């Protein structure tokens, strides 16, 4: 549903100028998290518009990655702070403005094709430009090359072609270079060494559905409570964290209406300190007039301050949402854990928009560290591949590389790791092959900035982030950065093999092996049973933090002895500085799960995320300190309401409960093979569903029985479990691998029931 606009004069303070006769409003994306009808966190249902075009269907195509770059530029330049425009602080790239598309075809009979184009264009058949009607052309029988060259400065050059035999899809070849030549025979050939790419596409599957007109969809929502304040202004409570446009209905009079937004009640009431606001000015009298704010905001509470000369009949909102379908599920014997999972799912949904963003109130930018966690949570809730691909493309941008992603060293490394994770979960080798050249240039940039020991440290222009943490010095060669760097080099080796670059695979694996050996020789401290923090000016900083140690455990870098040492002396050691952000708690609790400490994790989830719920959270926060009292809990960045109360990295229970309790993960790319290793973590029972590209895996587990059923396309899975007694199964053969440890081979379409006794 789109808002209806009447002619008006509208001034929004964040534009700093009047805008007259506004008739349209940018909206973007569609669909929602589906949990339970009537539940506080249930969302509107809708078709899954994130799906790619079905095979054999015509779709709009463009140069791969360009649409993501263009759309990210539009989205990331919407941020305002109290009316002031606040753009990103890293380099922004643009799409290629001139793109050539072509397809070699062999027609069994003549074909009439319809053409739609975003931009100015020409059409060639076998290298010869045609004139006249370029929207409907006739292709004769036989072998041909159909080519279109498109120029578009404002939006992405894109084409839509539909005939009985010829359609535009991902099989088309595209280039941004003008290197096509015609040989003596008149056949098109490439004698220049031009690199052609397979076309990019998404879900724009009709000629009328133009990529440049892409919008999110909205649905009306009303406040649950209305309070008239002593000042005469009105405070609206929408009942939970939400996102969208405010609508003023039946407005009469002349004057200025100020709107103050708050994720908390205190923020909405603070006219001087709330992070976001709007100003609507009626410079001429209006009568029974409806209007909608010009931009979306995040809020639960809204304060409407209107002069006596302006009367407002009703106020509601247009809730703006993204087209993602919730396919994953989790429930258990603990009602608090169930509520935490639901709020986590809602939190991720709110931060899943055109891309995976960090938070809906403040930045609304694409940060690599935040996105990496959203990707992983996505694999256990939506398994939405297009949003992952768009986000990867948008983060990477274009060559040449002049800085780290988001200017943050560790965020470059997370990007590499995210490509590897995407390939492992999806099996999409085509994406790897397309993005591999950009991986090479980014890695070349990283390698050019290493010191004499092969370590990376923050240089001029670099931001070394790691986490928001006190007493965490970040100068010098940090063990944490070297570990992520090592994993990035290993990722390069994996992706090089996928792309058939054997020399590259060997080079990157050798570099990774050398760096890993140095990591242990320099930073591992046998007396502290852990990795130390850093080397600065040739001297070791022997402080021990959780970050390097928990990542080393997660990535499988530790020997059995070192693994036990890290668990005892770091992860379970209260003397090591605690982590206060959900961002790094994501990895800390994942590491504890890898250490088979799910009972500890269950207590931590209930305490940490349950603590936010006790504070009144309806979505999970950017940072949570249980000791913070009153309005102080909303402060961050030196601002009283700077903290985001809806941050994507706060949704990590989705990932933890899916991967380490239901226990599902791929063991070869695209779930060709997979494992199910359920862990109760002190709960009486758990059940849920984990999606993958071509199906899903359903699990139930209690202390006496395990049930597993897989639907879709896989080769086989493996159930891994422990039992005090000899287990029994209705299907297959249980194998004992060690004392009280067993496996069972799983095949799609079968319902496996195992009777056992949990340890």
């Amino acid at each position: 549903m789109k808002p209806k606009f009447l002619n008006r004069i509208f001034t929004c303070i964040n534009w700093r100028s009047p805008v007259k006769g506004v008739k349209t409003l940018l909206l973007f994306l569609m669909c929602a998290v589906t949990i339970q009808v009537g539940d506080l966190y249930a969302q509107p249902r809708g078709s899954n518009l994130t799906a790619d075009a079905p095979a054999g269907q015509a779709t709009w195509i463009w140069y791969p990655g360009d649409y993501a770059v263009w759309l990210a530029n539009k989205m990331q330049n919407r941020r305002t702070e109290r009316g002031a425009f606040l753009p990103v602080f890293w380099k922004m790239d643009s799409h290629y403005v001139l793109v050539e598309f072509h397809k070699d075809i062999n027609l069994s009979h003549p074909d009439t094709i319809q053409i739609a184009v975003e931009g100015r264009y020409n059409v060639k058949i076998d290298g010869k430009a045609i004139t006249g009607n370029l929207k409907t052309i006739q292709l004769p029988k036989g072998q041909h090359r159909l080519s279109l060259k498109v120029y578009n400065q404002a939006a992405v050059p894109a084409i839509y072609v539909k005939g009985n035999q010829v359609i535009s899809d991902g099989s088309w070849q595209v280039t941004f270079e003008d290197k096509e030549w015609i040989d003596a025979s008149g056949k098109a050939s490439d004698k220049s060494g031009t690199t052609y790419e397979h076309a990019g596409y998404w879900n724009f599957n009709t000629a009328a559905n133009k990529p440049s007109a892409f919008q999110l969809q909205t649905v009306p929502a009303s406040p649950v409570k209305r309070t008239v304040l002593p000042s005469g202004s009105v405070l609206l409570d929408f009942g939970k964290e939400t996102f969208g446009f405010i609508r003023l209905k039946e407005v009469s009079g002349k004057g200025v209406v100020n709107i103050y937004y708050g994720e908390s009640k205190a923020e909405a009431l603070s006219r001087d300190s709330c992070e976001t606001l709007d100003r609507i000015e009626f410079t001429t009298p209006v009568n029974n007039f409806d209007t909608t704010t010009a931009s979306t905001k995040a809020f639960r509470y809204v304060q409407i301050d209107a002069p006596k000369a302006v009367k407002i009949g009703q106020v509601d909102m247009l809730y703006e949402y993204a087209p993602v379908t919730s396919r994953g599920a989790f429930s258990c014997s603990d009602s608090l854990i169930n509520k935490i999972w639901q709020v986590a799912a809602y939190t991720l949904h709110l931060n899943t928009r055109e891309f995976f963003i960090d938070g809906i109130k403040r930045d609304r930018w694409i940060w690599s560290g935040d996105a990496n966690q959203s990707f992983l949570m996505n694999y256990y809730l939506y398994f939405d591949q297009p949003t992952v691909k768009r986000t990867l493309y948008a983060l990477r941008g274009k060559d040449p590389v002049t800085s780290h992603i988001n200017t943050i060293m560790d965020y470059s490394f997370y990007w590499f790791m995210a490509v590897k994770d995407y390939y492992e979960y999806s099996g999409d080798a085509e994406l790897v092959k397309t993005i591999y050249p950009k991986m090479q240039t980014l890695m070349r940039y990283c390698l050019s900035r290493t010191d004499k020991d092969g370590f990376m440290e923050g240089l001029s222009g670099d931001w070394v982030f790691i986490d928001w943490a006190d007493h965490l010095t970040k100068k010098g060669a940090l063990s944490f950065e070297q570990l992520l760097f090592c994993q990035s080099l290993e990722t390069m080796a994996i992706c090089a093999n996928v792309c058939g670059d054997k020399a590259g695979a060997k080079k990157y694996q050798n570099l990774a092996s050398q760096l890993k050996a140095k990591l242990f020789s320099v930073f591992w401290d046998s007396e502290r049973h852990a990795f130390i923090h850093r080397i600065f000016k040739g001297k070791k900083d022997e402080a021990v933090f959780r970050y390097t140690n928990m990542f080393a455990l997660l990535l499988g870098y530790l020997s059995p002895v070192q693994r036990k040492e890290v668990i005892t002396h770091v992860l379970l050691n209260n003397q090591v500085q605690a982590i206060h952000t959900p961002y790094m708690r994501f990895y800390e609790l994942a590491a504890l799960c890898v250490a088979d400490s799910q009972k500890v994790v269950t207590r931590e989830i209930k305490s940490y995320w349950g603590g936010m719920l006790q504070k009144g959270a309806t979505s999970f926060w950017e940072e949570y300190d249980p000791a913070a009292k009153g309005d102080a809990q909303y402060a961050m960045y030196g601002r009283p309401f700077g903290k985001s109360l809806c941050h994507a990295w706060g949704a990590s229970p989705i990932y933890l409960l899916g991967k380490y309790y239901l226990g599902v993960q791929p063991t070869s790319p695209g779930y060709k093979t997979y494992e199910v290793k359920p862990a109760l973590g002190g709960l009486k029972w758990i059940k849920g569903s984990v999606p993958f590209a071509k199906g899903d895996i359903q699990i139930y587990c209690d202390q006496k029985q395990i049930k597993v059923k897989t639907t879709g396309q896989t080769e086989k899975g493996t159930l891994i479990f422990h039992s005090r007694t000899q287990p029994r199964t209705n299907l297959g053969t249980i194998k004992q691998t060690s004392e009280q440890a067993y496996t069972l081979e799983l095949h799609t379409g079968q319902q496996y029931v195992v009777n056992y006794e949990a340890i």
Side-chain angles (χ1 to χ4, degrees):
M1 176 176 178
K2 295 182 180 180
K4 181 180 179 181
F5 291 89
L6 301 175
N7 289 331
R8 63 179 174 85
I9 299 176
F10 175 83
T11 300
C12 183
I13 192 170
N14 60 334
W15 287 355
R16 301 290 179 93
S17 62
V19 180
K20 297 183 178 181
V22 177
K23 294 180 180 291
T24 57
L25 182 63
L26 287 175
L27 311 169
F28 291 86
L29 238 76
M30 177 179 177
C31 200
V33 174
T34 304
I35 298 174
Q36 286 184 334
V37 176
D39 182 85
L40 174 63
Y41 297 97
Q43 297 303 313
R45 295 174 183 266
S47 59
N48 184 5
L49 295 185
T50 54
D52 286 332
Q57 180 173 342
T59 190
W60 284 89
I61 60 175
W62 48 75
Y63 190 87
D66 267 17
Y67 188 70
V69 169
W70 175 81
L71 191 61
N73 287 349
K74 292 185 66 177
M75 188 195 74
Q76 294 188 111
N77 283 291
R78 296 181 197 146
R79 178 178 174 178
T80 62
E81 282 191 3
R82 295 191 59 79
F85 168 54
L86 191 63
V88 300
F89 53 79
W90 51 80
K91 177 174 73 80
M92 301 199 77
D93 296 311
S94 185
H95 59 277
Y96 294 121
V97 299
L98 183 64
V99 175
E100 189 260 344
F101 303 79
H102 72 258
K103 173 78 172 179
D104 293 321
I105 50 182
N106 189 1
L107 300 181
S108 59
H109 54 272
D111 198 4
T112 300
I113 63 172
Q114 306 297 319
I115 296 176
V117 178
E118 292 247 72
R120 191 177 183 186
Y121 68 105
N122 66 25
V123 180
K124 293 180 181 179
I125 300 175
D126 299 328
K128 296 181 180 179
I130 64 173
T131 59
N133 182 10
L134 300 184
K135 294 183 178 180
T136 302
I137 65 172
Q138 305 294 322
L139 281 174
K141 175 183 177 180
Q143 293 185 354
H144 304 285
R145 171 171 286 194
L146 175 63
S147 305
L148 289 86
K149 185 169 287 187
V150 184
Y151 165 78
N152 194 333
Q153 187 79 38
V156 176
I159 68 169
Y160 179 91
V161 176
K162 186 175 182 180
N164 291 324
Q165 302 172 75
V166 182
I167 61 170
S168 52
D169 58 19
S171 66
W172 280 59
Q173 299 287 298
V174 298
T175 181
F176 60 89
E177 297 180 279
D178 187 12
K179 297 286 184 67
E180 187 181 32
W181 300 85
I182 306 301
D183 64 20
S185 66
K187 294 182 180 180
S189 62
D190 176 29
K191 298 181 179 180
S192 64
T194 294
T195 299
Y196 286 98
E197 303 284 355
H198 286 297
Y201 58 97
W202 184 16
N203 62 356
F204 303 100
N205 301 330
T206 66
N209 190 15
K210 296 181 178 180
S212 65
F214 172 61
Q215 297 180 337
L216 293 181
Q217 192 157 335
T218 61
V219 64
S222 298
V224 299
K225 185 177 180 180
R226 180 180 184 273
T227 303
V228 178
L229 301 174
S231 64
S233 63
V234 176
L235 181 68
L236 304 176
D237 178 3
F238 285 83
K240 60 179 179 179
E241 180 85 13
T242 189
F243 186 82
F245 305 89
I246 290 294
R247 295 197 301 187
L248 307 181
K249 297 182 177 180
E250 302 166 4
V251 181
S252 297
K254 175 183 176 181
V256 176
V257 177
N258 290 297
I259 304 175
Y260 305 96
Y261 300 92
E263 291 186 307
S264 63
K265 182 177 180 179
E267 183 180 10
L269 291 175
S270 180
R271 299 184 181 188
D272 295 330
S273 299
C274 63
E275 291 282 305
T276 56
L277 48 79
D278 271 317
R279 173 185 171 93
I280 300 178
E281 183 175 358
F282 301 97
T283 58
T284 59
V286 295
N287 184 37
N288 201 31
F289 179 75
D290 295 353
T291 189
T292 305
T293 54
S295 60
T296 50
K297 298 291 191 300
F299 54 88
R300 173 178 171 173
Y301 299 91
V302 178
Q303 182 185 175
I304 309 292
D305 178 45
K308 292 181 179 180
V310 176
K311 305 298 181 184
I312 302 173
Q314 298 180 48
V315 181
D316 68 358
M317 71 171 294
L318 290 172
Y319 173 71
E320 186 186 77
Y321 57 97
V324 285
T325 299
S326 183
R327 296 174 55 201
F330 181 87
S331 62
C332 68
S333 56
D334 191 301
S335 60
L336 178 56
I337 294 287
N338 292 338
K339 182 65 175 292
I340 289 169
W341 189 91
Q342 290 180 357
V343 176
Y346 183 62
T347 301
L348 182 62
H349 162 69
L350 285 170
N351 289 289
T352 303
R353 314 212 66 76
E354 299 95 326
F355 305 88
F356 289 114
I357 63 171
D358 63 331
I360 56 174
K361 178 175 78 170
R362 201 183 56 242
D363 295 11
R364 287 193 274 172
W365 292 344
I366 309 169
W367 294 91
S368 181
D370 305 61
N372 184 53
Q373 294 190 2
S374 292
F375 297 153
L376 294 171
M377 292 182 275
N378 162 70
Y379 300 139
Y380 289 89
L381 185 61
Y382 310 132
F383 210 93
D384 171 44
Q385 293 176 237
T387 306
V388 176
K389 292 190 288 186
R390 285 197 306 278
T391 306
L392 287 171
Y393 277 125
L395 282 167
R396 176 57 185 83
K398 299 293 188 73
D399 288 330
V401 181
T402 58
S403 66
H404 285 295
I405 290 177
N406 306 128
T407 74
I408 302 175
M409 183 193 297
D410 22 320
Y411 279 25
S412 288
F413 300 146
Y414 284 128
W415 184 84
F416 287 114
M417 294 159 65
V419 174
K420 174 180 68 69
D421 288 336
Y422 174 74
Y423 175 62
E424 289 177 349
Y425 277 93
S426 70
D428 184 358
E430 187 63 36
L431 182 278
V432 175
K433 293 175 182 177
T434 301
I435 213 164
Y436 180 63
K438 294 181 182 295
M439 297 178 72
Q440 289 177 298
T441 49
L442 180 57
M443 181 53 73
R444 194 174 301 131
Y445 174 81
C446 293
L447 290 169
S448 73
R449 296 169 74 81
T450 55
D451 64 17
K452 60 181 179 60
D453 297 313
F455 293 147
M456 288 197 66
E457 56 183 282
L459 302 179
S460 177
D462 295 344
W463 177 4
V464 178
F465 174 57
I466 304 179
D467 193 18
W468 298 121
D470 297 332
H471 313 302
L472 187 62
T473 51
K474 299 176 182 179
K475 292 183 178 180
L478 310 185
S479 60
F480 178 77
E481 300 293 342
Q482 313 322 312
L483 188 144
L484 294 189
F485 185 25
C486 185
Q487 179 69 186
S488 299
L489 287 165
E490 291 180 349
T491 292
M492 289 299 301
I494 291 169
C495 293
N497 276 319
V498 172
C499 298
D501 180 9
K502 301 301 181 183
K506 183 177 180 180
K507 178 185 74 173
Y508 293 124
Q509 189 55 58
N510 286 340
L511 288 169
S513 297
Q514 293 167 17
L515 180 59
K516 187 175 180 180
K518 290 179 181 178
L519 175 69
F520 278 90
S521 65
V522 173
F523 294 102
W524 179 261
D525 190 315
S526 58
E527 293 183 1
R528 289 167 176 78
H529 312 286
F531 286 102
I532 61 171
H533 179 47
R534 65 170 182 155
I535 293 179
F536 182 56
K537 295 183 177 180
K539 295 182 179 180
K540 291 186 178 182
D541 179 343
E542 296 178 343
V544 171
F545 294 98
R546 296 176 183 269
Y547 308 105
T548 307
N549 292 284
M550 66 196 192
F551 267 78
L553 178 61
L554 271 175
L555 297 174
Y557 280 13
L558 303 176
S559 69
V561 172
Q562 292 168 333
R563 176 188 172 103
K564 291 180 181 178
E565 290 177 301
V566 163
I567 294 169
T568 301
H569 294 276
V570 182
L571 294 183
L572 300 178
N573 183 359
N574 292 332
Q575 300 303 309
V576 177
Q577 181 175 310
I579 293 172
H580 293 295
T581 61
Y583 177 52
M584 276 294 156
R585 296 231 82 186
F586 179 100
Y587 299 112
E588 179 185 27
L589 297 185
L592 284 167
C593 287
V594 169
D596 297 321
S597 297
Q598 275 86 344
K599 289 183 179 180
V600 175
V601 174
T602 299
R603 292 196 299 269
E604 290 296 311
I605 289 176
K606 293 178 68 172
S607 173
Y608 190 78
W609 281 267
M612 281 188 264
L613 294 182
Q614 287 182 339
K615 296 276 190 177
T618 60
S619 57
F620 290 129
W621 302 353
E622 179 178 15
E623 185 266 351
Y624 171 59
D625 182 357
K629 304 296 181 183
D631 293 348
Q633 65 188 322
Y634 307 130
M636 203 168 179
Y637 308 109
R639 305 195 301 272
F641 302 103
K643 183 182 299 180
S644 164
L645 301 190
C646 181
H647 224 67
W649 70 33
S652 55
I654 298 168
Y655 174 71
L656 297 171
L657 295 169
K659 183 172 183 178
Y660 298 113
Y661 284 67
L662 297 178
V664 178
Q665 62 179 322
T667 53
S668 58
Y671 277 88
K672 187 176 182 180
T673 60
Y674 61 94
E675 72 174 29
V676 179
K677 188 180 178 181
L680 289 168
L683 302 168
K684 294 180 180 179
W685 58 265
I686 58 174
K687 68 177 180 180
S689 179
V690 173
F692 59 97
K694 298 179 180 180
D696 61 68
I697 303 163
Q698 301 160 18
I699 304 98
Y700 171 86
C701 179
D702 61 28
Q703 297 182 19
K704 298 292 184 181
Q705 195 171 75
I706 301 171
K707 298 178 183 179
V708 183
K709 183 177 181 180
T710 302
T711 61
Q713 299 179 27
T714 67
E715 284 192 1
K716 65 177 182 178
T718 303
L719 174 64
I720 303 171
F721 64 101
H722 290 79
S723 179
R724 296 182 189 277
T725 58
Q726 183 65 40
R728 293 175 290 108
T729 180
N730 67 323
L731 289 172
T733 301
I734 293 174
K735 296 181 180 179
Q736 186 167 2
T737 56
S738 62
E739 184 178 359
Q740 298 184 326
Y742 302 88
T743 63
L744 173 65
E745 189 172 293
L746 306 171
H747 295 279
T748 189
Q750 302 293 324
Q751 173 78 61
Y752 293 87
V753 180
V754 173
N755 295 301
Y756 80 120
E757 185 177 350
I759 295 176

